[in-house]
Amino acid sequence: MRFKALLAAVAVAGLSLAGCATTSDAVSTMNTRWVGQSSDAFFSAYGPPMRQFPRADGGSIYTWIGGQTTVRRNLTPPPRPQQNQFDTSPFGRKYEKSTTRESVEADGTVVRRTTSSSASVNFDPSQLLGALGGAQPQPTYEEKRLYCEVQLTAAPDGTITNFVISRDTEAEGFGLSRCAEIFAVEAS
């Protein structure tokens, strides 16, 4: 039963990623959209270039970087639910005691009295040491810088002749390409 659930989860994840646009999808779409268009129109839509390199023919190669953000993902596993592990934990014990006493009353009636008591002790040494030192477990994070870097080649009149994605990270949302996310590219 667990195998079937795992297989179903893998299939759903695979189908979800199959619908995600990749860097090559973004390059293809952006070449279709922007080659032959004005580089000024691109920069007006997405922001100014970071650098410009003049070419010998009078054109330029522009480096554009956009969609810059840093995401922080929590890597600390969620706390385990507390369980009553008195009988199984190496740091916990359960003590029980029962005492039965019989007595005979004056009329000959036998009276049996049973007294039970129990005590449980359980502790987690890591929590004890943390409490003594005042230290609390610190969450662990992974920070990733997400961005898209593009090289635009423009003719002397400013017309885009080539569009290349030189660096691409994963998407901020659920996706494979930050560039595809920024430029609203659909998966092919």
Side-chain angles (χ1 to χ4, degrees):
M1 185 65 177
R2 286 186 179 178
F3 178 74
K4 287 182 182 179
L6 178 63
L7 187 60
V10 169
V12 167
L15 288 174
S16 297
L17 285 176
C20 293
T22 63
T23 303
S24 61
D25 292 331
V27 168
S28 176
T29 300
M30 294 306 286
N31 271 308
T32 302
R33 283 185 198 165
W34 288 101
V35 169
Q37 303 296 318
S38 164
S39 58
D40 288 340
F42 176 85
F43 298 131
S44 293
Y46 295 106
M50 296 295 287
R51 290 182 291 279
Q52 177 184 9
F53 176 76
R55 293 178 17 161
D57 68 357
S60 295
I61 298 175
Y62 296 99
T63 300
W64 176 89
I65 299 175
Q68 297 166 310
T69 188
T70 301
V71 294
R72 188 178 204 191
R73 294 186 177 112
N74 189 352
L75 299 177
T76 307
R80 293 182 304 187
Q82 293 293 327
Q83 298 176 355
N84 186 358
Q85 299 177 354
F86 294 126
D87 296 326
T88 59
S89 171
F91 297 104
R93 298 286 183 256
K94 184 174 185 179
Y95 302 96
E96 293 183 358
K97 181 179 177 183
S98 294
T99 308
T100 303
R101 295 184 187 197
E102 289 185 12
S103 62
V104 179
E105 297 290 318
D107 63 357
T109 308
V110 176
V111 177
R112 184 175 292 153
R113 290 186 176 99
T114 302
T115 307
S116 296
S117 61
S118 67
S120 299
V121 177
N122 193 18
F123 72 95
D124 180 354
S126 66
Q127 290 181 351
L128 177 66
L129 295 175
L132 291 175
Q136 296 295 322
Q138 295 297 315
T140 332
Y141 294 99
E142 169 190 55
E143 286 191 352
K144 284 191 175 184
R145 184 173 168 249
L146 306 180
Y147 62 96
C148 171
E149 183 176 308
V150 171
Q151 302 292 317
L152 288 178
T153 304
D157 65 354
T159 302
I160 298 173
T161 58
N162 194 22
F163 185 97
V164 176
I165 294 176
S166 53
R167 293 187 189 162
D168 192 9
T169 63
E170 66 187 57
E172 183 174 11
F174 187 70
L176 302 173
S177 167
R178 182 68 173 148
C179 293
E181 186 176 49
I182 292 166
F183 299 130
V185 172
E186 298 293 324
S188 57

